[in-house]
Amino acid sequence: MDDDNAPRGVVDPEVRAYVYSLVSALGGTGADEEGRYVLGDDALACLKDIKRWLKLYDEKANRLDVARCLAEANLVKGDLLEILAAWPEDATEDRVQSKIASACLEILVPLTWPIEKNELQTTVNHHRHIPYLQLAQISYKREILEHASSCILRTVVRIGLPSIALPIGERGSRDEGIIKLLLYFLRNIVMISAPQNLPVEWNEAEISRSATIQGFHQQDVFALLLTIASNMGEDFNTQDVVVLEILFYLMKGIDIEKLFMNEAQLEAKKSSDLQGLMAKEAAMLRGYAKNAPTRHNRFGTMIWVKRDDERMSSVSGQDILSNSQQTMTKMDQSKKWNRPRQRGRNTEQDPNHYDIPVPLTPSASENLRSFVEEFLDSGFNPLFSHLRRAIEREADRVLEAHTQQYFYLVSWFLEAERLRRKRKQNKFDEKSQATRASAEADNFGIVASVLNQETFILLNRFMQDRLDLKSWHEVNAGMRCFTQILYTVQEMAESSLEDDQEIAENIQNRIFYEETTYDRILTILRDYKDQGFSYLDAATELFHVFLRMLERYSKENVDLQIRSRRRARKLKKVTTQESEPQDTTAEQDSEAEDIVEVARVSKERKFDFSRFSSKFLTQSCIDTFVIFTTFYKDLSTEQLKRAHRFFYRVAFKQEMSVMLFRLDIIALFNRMMKGPDALNPASPMFREWDELTRQLIKQMIKKLQQRPELAVEMLFSKISSTVFYLEYGYEKQTINTKPRAPAELEVKGGLSRDEQIGVVVAVLYEDKLDAIDFVTNALKSVIDERRSWEAEAEARNIFNIDNGQDTENQTEPFKVPSTIVKPDNDERKLAMFKDNKLQLLMTLAGLERVGPDDDPDCTWIVPSQLTLAQLQETIEMIEKSRKDPITQYGTEDPVPVEEMLRRKTVIRPRVEFDDDSEGDGLATDGEEEFLFPAGGPTNRKTDALAELKKKRRKRRTSTTSDVEIDDEARDAKRKARALAELEKRRKLKSDVLVHDSDDEDDEERDREFFAREAERRKGQSMKVLKALKAAKEDDSDASADKKRKRSEGGNQRRKRARYSATDSESGIDELPHLRDVRSSPNPEYQDRSTRDENSGWETPLSSPQNNPLNEIDLNKVLLHQSMDSFAPEKAPILAIDEEDREEEEEDEDEAMLVPSNTRMRGRLALLDDSDDD
């Protein structure tokens, strides 16, 4: 690289002179030193000056002139490497030599730094220097890896060993800088590769990946990387991202399957690949031989093809003469439309891309495999757990590319671990079972740092963010990582260790719990367009593995629950107030902010695999696999199997073969089987694809016979309605449901109208300020319109007066019409129907809604009853609340303004049910109207006993025959009685509930009334007890002579009837042992009596007839006392004997007026006494 070869004017001559003088003063070789390199007197100062030129001129001025001059001066090969090679290994105490070596390293790092073209910062000067510097860096790498006299990499490692040996607490900034320089230098060496668009003058194998791996292995670089990685987090903190870059550029593009093959397997793999290539070549030659040129190929050929529409087409070439099919095929190829694509930016290959495979030599494969195994055993967990934490907290040293490299390396090492286990199992197959069992006993703890919940969260967030940003290469890295995690979990589930099985069960439960994971995978598969084959391969593999594991897991766990999320608005509570003391903590202040944010509301539901599998039955998902299948000639057996399983699932498991009935898909399958470029019949997947194609075509023919419309639909993609019609023969019926109106709100607390408006305005103030403006502007426009109407009316009156018309005789005054409130846009129209807060504000402002509540097109109007003053007052209220919104209500326990709103209680009308089992419906007509007893209390005496005697006397003297009444007649009588009673109650007009409200406050009258009632109850109690005592004596006398009692039965009945009648008129005060209920010794009755007196049951309108509580209490007292005295006997005083019962059964239509037990006897006494009053 002489100066004469460089074009003039590329570098400033003055800069070149300064740089060349520094390189000359650094040192050189001489004849007197036997060809050894000798340092100059100020070598260390020269090295520092060169470093300053690189930093201040190239970096600060964004130029590459100094680097170009140093490359032309051959500084690296002629000076720096010679200085490092001259440093003996045993001279560890020579501080001057150590400083000089460190200075050389500080210059080597910027000279070998990867050159990146930035379109925003690239100038003409960069385009001049970058190609030259790229070739110079390749020469640097070749000389460093293959130096003639020394191991440069080992010498560089020696520079950093003193700093590495120090504990992390004792290292200074210089020590950390030396370690960083060492690692960056190794990173640069790995990254340097031959550019694709530049010629190389030397053998590329000297700078290949294999040469780099060999140099790292021989010069102890791998040992250094293992030491740093295994102690990451303990002795090293900031070096993790540099080690990550070294591993990424060292591992990318390497076939892991070949890496873990032994020599025999590798040779077999190479031979099989060679056979496959030879078979493809033979098939290509056979296809070419069919249309091979002949000795007449020097003659041109062109024919005319007459088509069906009488049009002519020209086709050229001798191959069209073989057959008519070839002619049509060539004409179709000429008609193929090649869609023009947009010209992409001419960018070079990104160094972070990992799609290009990199071959390795056997020795390099062996060395790299040993390093990978040692790294998995000792350094994987510390390094990747530390990297994950750094990525999560977004450390300054972590760049965007590091996250992609992290997930790619996770996928790479997980696959390496799986293949290493498989290799171990194959190795121990030939040995004893005990050895094999010990080999299988290794758990997956060495990769546990990437199988935890934190890694899954980071991976999901990374994939979703990059998917939204359409960073396809980063999404590809995430998909590879997720796929390898699924493979690893699947092997853990099949492990013989129970711990691995439990961990695998837990991981699967976490992965399959989130519904967002399902949606993301479907989105990736559905949105494939032109991201490249590597992206397509990763997307289809991820979907295939995920679907298989999900199907198996859902079968094993029938009650699988997943969490689905939907977007909803969430309003944080306001907890601060203006009167809050100033010494509140910052935490309380942060929690007190009123922030309206969009949150996700989670809800668990049972997982349905058929429901999920139906989601990928879309045309876009099928198109993705169709595009993947078009590369069938380059696909491996596993990839062909992946595509076959998808189409088989669609056509037969999901029974949606209609989705595959498309001409391009059928033609693709037919071409794979019987085309000129068909699959090799010896391929393992040929038979399965052939069977799938035959069955699919068979179903298509059958479907064509059932649905002739399919012949047209085969030209197009299928939508859901078309698929439904082709499957069932009729269109799918859809029901359009009306939108549901929101719940009506109201303001709590009984506030005034202006306060209610203030509450609603404060709620709408934060995020719906435009809604407040809309209501205010609507009211202002109504005011303007009303004023114009009033001005028009006034002008008309003046005109009538001027014309002599009498305006006073006009009966109808001028009335302003109602005004319709029109929404200003479509969103406002929807908000007027959906936003219940806006509806509440409009209602409080006086607006009214015209039409049903569930009508989205309902109209809001400003009624004509609202005056201009009222409208103006409403506007002032809204403006006042808007200027100073009140966010809290209450002093002791303040309530946020949002909690002042609640749903309005809607009283629904009562529904009357017509139930045939409850009668004939006669008693329900109008029965709800009678809310008081028919007639109420009356002053006239009852004639019930007299009428009963009269009816009994008539029955005895009646000569009618005893004809049994049938059920129909009895029902007719009952209905007639019910109708008569109903008509009677309808005619009654009582003033029972009609009274003057002023009388209710007469305390003196109430006191006198309660005193009379107390005396009356006391007297009644004494009478009832005397009657019971007399009944006991009569019963004992009657049991003496049964025959005499039978003969005098009629007299006894008349006597009892007279006794009852007399007793009802005169009272039963002569019973001495009947006490007042309040004075009863039983605490139950005493407490109940007191409660009855305090509860206010006894009113001026109350009576024993109308007071059910008094009846129940007195009856209980009578039964209680009578059962104590006459338990074994019956009280016959009002009992009806057998003869009377027979007479009563003859007439079933009459009501039972006289009860036959003691309780009803007490009620009858109360009824008679009330009538006497």
Side-chain angles (χ1 to χ4, degrees):
M1 299 180 184
D2 296 335
D3 187 21
D4 298 334
N5 297 331
R8 299 296 179 183
V10 174
V11 181
D12 187 5
E14 186 176 358
V15 175
R16 188 189 301 274
Y18 273 111
V19 174
Y20 278 9
S21 63
L22 291 175
V23 174
S24 301
L26 182 60
T29 58
D32 54 347
E33 297 293 339
E34 298 178 356
R36 293 183 298 105
Y37 186 87
V38 180
L39 290 173
D41 296 336
D42 294 331
L44 185 59
C46 292
L47 291 173
K48 292 181 178 180
D49 290 342
I50 293 174
K51 176 186 174 183
R52 292 193 189 97
W53 272 97
L54 285 172
K55 183 176 182 179
L56 298 177
Y57 193 83
D58 279 3
E59 294 183 10
K60 294 295 181 63
N62 193 21
R63 300 177 64 88
L64 301 175
D65 294 345
V66 177
R68 175 71 177 265
C69 294
L70 294 177
E72 293 171 355
N74 198 16
L75 173 68
V76 175
K77 180 181 178 181
D79 295 280
L80 299 182
L81 297 185
E82 295 297 332
I83 294 174
L84 292 176
W87 186 24
E89 295 184 1
D90 54 354
T92 56
E93 301 297 333
D94 191 351
R95 297 182 60 85
V96 176
Q97 190 69 25
S98 176
K99 289 183 179 180
I100 293 176
S102 300
C104 293
L105 181 61
E106 291 177 359
I107 298 176
L108 282 174
V109 170
L111 290 179
T112 58
W113 198 274
I115 300 175
E116 299 178 359
K117 289 183 179 181
N118 189 349
E119 294 183 355
L120 300 177
Q121 300 178 358
T122 303
T123 61
V124 178
N125 196 31
H126 289 78
H127 290 287
R128 290 174 180 173
H129 297 323
I130 286 177
Y132 188 87
L133 293 178
Q134 287 178 344
L135 294 176
Q137 287 182 349
I138 293 175
S139 65
Y140 299 161
K141 180 177 181 179
R142 183 170 61 91
E143 295 297 333
I144 290 171
L145 293 177
E146 299 180 359
H147 194 268
S149 60
S150 177
C151 297
I152 302 299
L153 293 178
R154 181 176 292 144
T155 304
V156 173
V157 171
R158 286 171 51 206
I159 296 174
L161 284 180
S163 299
I164 295 174
L166 293 175
I168 188 173
E170 299 179 4
R171 292 182 199 149
S173 58
R174 176 176 174 80
D175 297 324
E176 294 290 342
I178 292 175
I179 296 174
K180 187 177 294 185
L181 283 174
L182 169 61
L183 294 177
Y184 274 123
F185 176 73
L186 298 177
R187 190 277 313 266
N188 296 343
I189 296 300
V190 178
M191 284 188 64
I192 295 175
S193 60
Q196 298 179 356
N197 53 354
L198 294 177
V200 181
E201 299 178 357
W202 45 83
N203 187 7
E204 293 186 6
E206 296 177 354
I207 58 171
S208 63
R209 189 77 60 84
S210 298
T212 305
I213 293 173
Q214 287 293 100
F216 278 21
H217 175 72
Q218 295 172 0
Q219 301 183 38
D220 301 332
V221 176
F222 282 154
L224 174 66
L225 294 177
L226 288 174
T227 302
I228 296 177
S230 59
N231 293 277
M232 190 63 64
E234 298 178 359
D235 296 332
F236 304 94
N237 283 328
T238 60
Q239 294 81 13
D240 48 359
V241 293
V242 189
V243 177
L244 175 71
E245 291 182 357
I246 295 173
L247 294 176
F248 174 77
Y249 293 113
L250 196 64
M251 306 298 177
K252 71 170 187 175
I254 295 178
D255 191 353
I256 309 175
E257 185 177 0
K258 292 182 180 179
L259 183 65
F260 284 90
M261 288 181 179
N262 51 29
E263 295 183 359
Q265 293 175 345
L266 191 60
E267 291 297 330
K269 178 67 174 177
K270 290 181 178 180
S271 62
S272 62
D273 293 343
L274 180 61
Q275 291 178 359
L277 291 175
M278 294 177 63
K280 289 182 180 180
E281 183 183 9
M284 182 181 64
L285 292 176
R286 286 194 302 269
Y288 181 72
K290 295 180 181 179
N291 302 316
T294 62
R295 59 191 180 94
H296 301 288
N297 63 346
R298 61 184 180 273
F299 301 104
T301 303
M302 178 178 288
I303 64 173
W304 292 90
V305 179
K306 187 176 182 180
R307 295 183 293 182
D308 297 336
D309 53 358
E310 300 299 331
R311 294 185 179 182
M312 308 294 291
S313 299
S314 60
V315 185
S316 62
Q318 285 191 349
D319 53 348
I320 62 178
L321 301 176
S322 59
N323 51 36
S324 59
Q325 181 65 30
Q326 184 66 25
T327 305
M328 301 302 294
T329 301
K330 190 159 188 179
M331 187 171 64
D332 291 340
Q333 291 177 356
S334 64
K335 293 187 299 182
K336 185 177 181 180
W337 178 55
N338 294 323
R339 183 178 59 182
R341 296 186 177 181
Q342 297 180 356
R343 293 186 59 185
R345 292 176 296 180
N346 187 15
T347 57
E348 296 182 358
Q349 182 181 358
D350 188 357
N352 291 324
H353 289 185
Y354 37 78
D355 302 334
I356 300 176
V358 178
L360 294 179
T361 60
S363 58
S365 299
E366 182 67 25
N367 295 331
L368 183 61
R369 182 172 64 247
S370 61
F371 167 73
V372 169
E373 291 179 350
E374 293 178 1
F375 178 78
L376 285 172
D377 293 336
S378 61
F380 181 84
N381 281 337
L383 176 63
F384 280 87
S385 60
H386 197 269
L387 279 169
R388 177 184 54 77
R389 290 192 292 269
I391 294 173
E392 286 177 347
R393 64 175 177 265
E394 298 180 357
D396 295 338
R397 64 180 183 277
V398 179
L399 304 179
E400 293 183 359
H402 292 152
T403 309
Q404 176 187 356
Q405 296 171 2
Y406 171 81
F407 286 113
Y408 175 78
L409 285 180
V410 168
S411 65
W412 199 94
F413 282 108
L414 285 179
E415 185 177 0
E417 174 61 21
R418 292 192 303 106
L419 292 176
R420 184 175 73 152
R421 288 175 174 272
K422 185 177 180 181
R423 184 168 177 263
K424 283 184 179 181
Q425 293 178 1
N426 295 334
K427 185 184 294 185
F428 291 119
D429 279 343
E430 300 177 358
K431 297 184 179 181
S432 62
Q433 295 293 333
T435 308
R436 182 178 179 182
S438 63
E440 292 179 353
D442 296 336
N443 57 16
F444 286 83
I446 58 177
V447 292
S449 61
V450 296
L451 297 177
N452 49 22
Q453 184 67 13
E454 291 80 4
T455 304
F456 300 152
I457 295 174
L458 180 63
L459 176 61
N460 290 329
R461 185 171 63 247
F462 170 77
M463 291 180 63
Q464 188 62 47
D465 293 343
R466 298 307 182 268
L467 193 63
D468 297 338
L469 297 174
K470 297 184 179 181
S471 301
W472 305 122
H473 290 288
E474 297 179 353
V475 176
N476 190 1
M479 289 191 295
R480 289 173 180 265
C481 180
F482 197 11
T483 304
Q484 294 303 323
I485 287 175
L486 293 177
Y487 276 130
T488 306
V489 172
Q490 185 177 0
E491 290 194 1
M492 291 176 64
E494 298 173 356
S495 175
S496 58
L497 299 177
E498 294 183 0
D499 294 340
D500 289 345
Q501 295 177 4
E502 293 178 0
I503 295 173
E505 179 72 18
N506 189 14
I507 293 175
Q508 291 183 84
N509 190 16
R510 292 179 178 180
I511 292 176
F512 298 137
Y513 179 64
E514 295 291 343
E515 192 180 19
T516 54
T517 306
Y518 305 78
D519 298 337
R520 187 180 305 113
I521 293 176
L522 288 172
T523 302
I524 292 172
L525 184 67
R526 183 175 58 247
D527 295 345
Y528 173 79
K529 189 177 181 182
D530 52 358
Q531 290 89 342
F533 180 78
S534 176
Y535 183 91
L536 179 61
D537 183 29
T540 53
E541 184 179 11
L542 173 60
F543 177 79
H544 175 70
V545 177
F546 184 83
L547 191 64
R548 285 180 54 200
M549 290 186 62
L550 178 61
E551 184 179 13
R552 181 184 306 173
Y553 188 75
S554 61
K555 290 181 179 178
E556 295 176 357
N557 299 270
V558 182
D559 298 330
L560 175 62
Q561 298 289 326
I562 63 173
R563 180 171 62 182
S564 58
R565 295 183 176 182
R566 59 180 177 84
R567 300 187 71 86
R569 301 198 65 82
K570 182 180 179 181
L571 185 63
K572 290 187 176 180
K573 295 183 178 180
V574 182
T575 57
T576 58
Q577 51 183 336
E578 296 179 357
S579 60
E580 194 173 7
Q582 297 180 356
D583 56 349
T584 54
T585 60
E587 181 179 1
Q588 293 175 349
D589 293 338
S590 62
E591 293 177 356
E593 296 177 358
D594 184 14
I595 302 173
V596 179
E597 62 179 6
V598 178
R600 287 189 175 271
V601 179
S602 302
K603 181 180 179 182
E604 288 189 356
R605 62 176 178 84
K606 186 176 181 181
F607 176 74
D608 187 5
F609 180 77
S610 60
R611 177 182 176 183
F612 168 73
S613 58
S614 62
K615 291 183 179 180
F616 65 81
L617 296 178
T618 58
Q619 202 65 56
S620 56
C621 295
I622 295 176
D623 289 343
T624 302
F625 271 91
V626 169
I627 296 173
F628 181 71
T629 313
T630 54
F631 300 96
Y632 65 92
K633 291 184 292 185
D634 301 325
L635 298 182
S636 62
T637 303
E638 290 296 329
Q639 292 171 336
L640 287 173
K641 183 178 180 180
R642 186 192 313 161
H644 175 272
R645 294 297 183 267
F646 176 80
F647 292 121
Y648 178 82
R649 182 182 295 273
V650 172
F652 300 103
K653 283 191 174 182
Q654 299 294 328
E655 298 180 355
M656 292 295 289
S657 57
V658 180
M659 300 294 295
L660 304 179
F661 294 160
R662 208 173 65 190
L663 282 181
D664 59 338
I665 299 177
I666 300 299
L668 174 63
F669 290 172
N670 184 67
R671 187 168 65 252
M672 290 175 62
M673 297 297 102
K674 299 181 180 180
D677 299 330
L679 284 175
N680 187 7
S683 175
M685 292 299 299
F686 181 83
R687 290 188 60 186
E688 297 184 13
W689 273 101
D690 184 52
E691 183 66 22
L692 174 65
T693 304
R694 289 192 299 105
Q695 294 295 333
L696 193 62
I697 295 177
K698 183 178 178 180
Q699 287 192 3
M700 183 187 66
I701 296 173
K702 184 178 179 181
K703 184 64 69 174
L704 279 171
Q705 296 175 355
Q706 296 177 357
R707 309 277 187 270
E709 300 85 356
L710 181 60
V712 179
E713 294 296 336
M714 288 181 65
L715 301 173
F716 310 101
S717 299
K718 311 294 187 302
I719 58 177
S720 59
S721 59
T722 304
V723 172
F724 188 87
Y725 176 78
L726 294 176
E727 283 289 338
Y728 302 103
Y730 58 89
E731 294 184 357
K732 188 176 182 180
Q733 302 295 328
T734 57
I735 301 176
N736 296 326
T737 58
K738 291 185 178 181
R740 185 177 179 181
E744 189 175 356
L745 299 179
E746 65 179 0
V747 182
K748 298 188 295 186
L751 303 178
S752 60
R753 178 170 171 267
D754 56 344
E755 292 176 339
Q756 294 182 15
I757 291 177
V759 170
V760 182
V761 170
V763 173
L764 295 173
Y765 184 79
E766 289 296 332
D767 59 339
K768 297 179 181 179
L769 194 60
D770 55 342
I772 304 175
D773 296 336
F774 168 72
V775 177
T776 307
N777 296 332
L779 294 179
K780 290 180 180 179
S781 63
V782 172
I783 290 176
D784 297 338
E785 184 178 353
R786 293 284 176 86
R787 288 174 178 172
S788 63
W789 278 101
E790 291 181 357
E792 180 185 0
E794 185 178 357
R796 186 172 299 172
N797 292 333
I798 294 173
F799 177 76
N800 293 335
I801 293 173
D802 294 341
N803 293 337
Q805 297 181 6
D806 188 7
T807 58
E808 297 180 356
N809 296 330
Q810 294 181 0
T811 57
E812 295 182 0
F814 173 74
K815 184 178 180 181
V816 179
S818 300
T819 306
I820 298 177
V821 179
K822 296 181 180 179
D824 50 359
N825 50 37
D826 294 338
E827 295 181 357
R828 186 78 60 218
K829 180 179 179 180
L830 182 62
M832 291 172 67
F833 174 71
K834 284 288 189 181
D835 192 352
N836 49 9
K837 300 181 182 63
L838 176 59
Q839 292 179 2
L840 179 58
L841 179 60
M842 295 170 68
T843 303
L844 293 175
L847 279 67
E848 295 180 358
R849 178 164 49 189
V850 179
D853 295 342
D854 56 351
D855 185 9
D857 299 328
C858 64
T859 305
W860 285 83
I861 64 171
V862 179
S864 58
Q865 293 81 5
L866 294 179
T867 61
L868 290 176
Q870 293 175 346
L871 294 175
Q872 187 64 35
E873 182 183 1
T874 303
I875 294 176
E876 293 176 356
M877 292 178 184
I878 296 176
E879 293 295 338
K880 179 182 177 182
S881 301
R882 179 179 176 180
K883 291 180 181 179
D884 187 15
I886 301 176
T887 58
Q888 289 181 344
Y889 283 84
T891 56
E892 296 181 358
D893 189 8
V895 178
V897 67
E898 294 81 10
E899 297 184 5
M900 293 296 294
L901 299 180
R902 66 182 178 188
R903 288 189 175 186
K904 188 175 182 179
T905 304
V906 179
I907 302 177
R908 302 185 180 275
R910 183 173 180 180
V911 181
E912 295 183 357
F913 297 96
D914 185 11
D915 193 354
D916 295 338
S917 63
E918 298 295 333
D920 299 328
L922 297 174
T924 60
D925 296 337
E927 189 175 358
E928 296 294 335
E929 300 176 0
F930 303 103
L931 301 178
F932 54 89
T938 179
N939 293 327
R940 63 181 178 88
K941 297 182 180 181
T942 179
D943 298 328
L945 291 178
E947 292 179 0
L948 180 59
K949 295 176 184 179
K950 184 177 181 182
K951 289 182 179 180
R952 287 181 177 177
R953 193 178 299 111
K954 288 181 179 180
R955 282 198 299 269
R956 291 193 187 99
T957 58
S958 178
T959 58
T960 56
S961 60
D962 297 333
V963 180
E964 184 179 359
I965 302 175
D966 55 356
D967 294 339
E968 295 182 358
R970 187 179 296 108
D971 292 341
K973 289 184 178 182
R974 180 175 56 83
K975 292 179 181 179
R977 254 194 335 268
L979 288 174
E981 180 67 20
L982 183 60
E983 187 66 22
K984 179 181 177 181
R985 295 181 67 184
R986 285 175 177 173
K987 292 180 180 179
L988 290 176
K989 293 184 179 180
S990 176
D991 59 343
V992 173
L993 300 179
V994 181
H995 55 275
D996 194 355
S997 60
D998 297 336
D999 297 338
E1000 296 177 357
D1001 300 329
D1002 194 353
E1003 298 181 358
E1004 185 65 24
R1005 182 176 58 83
D1006 294 341
R1007 190 180 301 107
E1008 295 176 358
F1009 171 79
F1010 289 133
R1012 289 196 306 269
E1013 289 293 321
E1015 293 294 334
R1016 187 180 294 110
R1017 281 194 299 270
K1018 185 176 181 181
Q1020 289 174 354
S1021 302
M1022 298 299 296
K1023 294 177 182 179
V1024 171
L1025 291 178
K1026 290 179 180 180
L1028 292 176
K1029 184 177 180 179
K1032 181 178 180 181
E1033 295 174 356
D1034 293 342
D1035 185 73
S1036 59
D1037 296 336
S1039 61
D1041 192 3
K1042 293 183 180 180
K1043 185 180 294 184
R1044 187 183 61 182
K1045 182 179 179 181
R1046 185 178 300 272
S1047 62
E1048 296 179 356
N1051 297 328
Q1052 286 286 346
R1053 286 195 300 273
R1054 289 191 296 272
K1055 182 179 180 180
R1056 285 197 299 271
R1058 288 194 302 270
Y1059 178 82
S1060 299
T1062 306
D1063 188 45
S1064 64
E1065 297 176 358
S1066 60
I1068 49 175
D1069 297 333
E1070 59 274 11
L1071 295 179
H1073 62 281
L1074 180 60
R1075 296 184 301 271
D1076 189 7
V1077 178
R1078 289 185 176 87
S1079 61
S1080 174
N1082 193 339
E1084 177 184 358
Y1085 305 134
Q1086 185 176 359
D1087 180 73
R1088 185 175 301 170
S1089 302
T1090 307
R1091 191 165 59 249
D1092 295 341
E1093 182 178 359
N1094 297 332
S1095 61
W1097 274 90
E1098 299 173 359
T1099 63
L1101 303 179
S1102 63
S1103 65
Q1105 180 181 354
N1106 293 328
N1107 195 343
L1109 186 61
N1110 293 336
E1111 294 177 12
I1112 296 173
D1113 293 345
L1114 183 57
N1115 292 334
K1116 288 186 177 181
V1117 174
L1118 296 175
L1119 288 177
H1120 176 71
Q1121 295 179 354
S1122 62
M1123 291 301 294
D1124 293 340
S1125 304
F1126 316 106
E1129 301 178 5
K1130 293 184 180 180
I1133 185 168
L1134 293 180
I1136 303 173
D1137 56 7
E1138 298 297 333
E1139 185 177 354
D1140 292 337
R1141 291 184 184 275
E1142 293 176 359
E1143 294 177 358
E1144 289 182 358
E1145 290 177 357
E1146 294 177 358
D1147 189 4
E1148 297 180 356
D1149 299 335
E1150 298 295 335
M1152 297 273 303
L1153 297 181
V1154 182
S1156 60
N1157 52 22
T1158 308
R1159 177 177 180 180
M1160 296 306 296
R1161 184 169 63 247
R1163 294 182 63 183
L1164 183 59
L1166 290 174
L1167 179 64
D1168 294 343
D1169 185 72
S1170 176
D1171 292 340
D1172 292 341
D1173 293 339

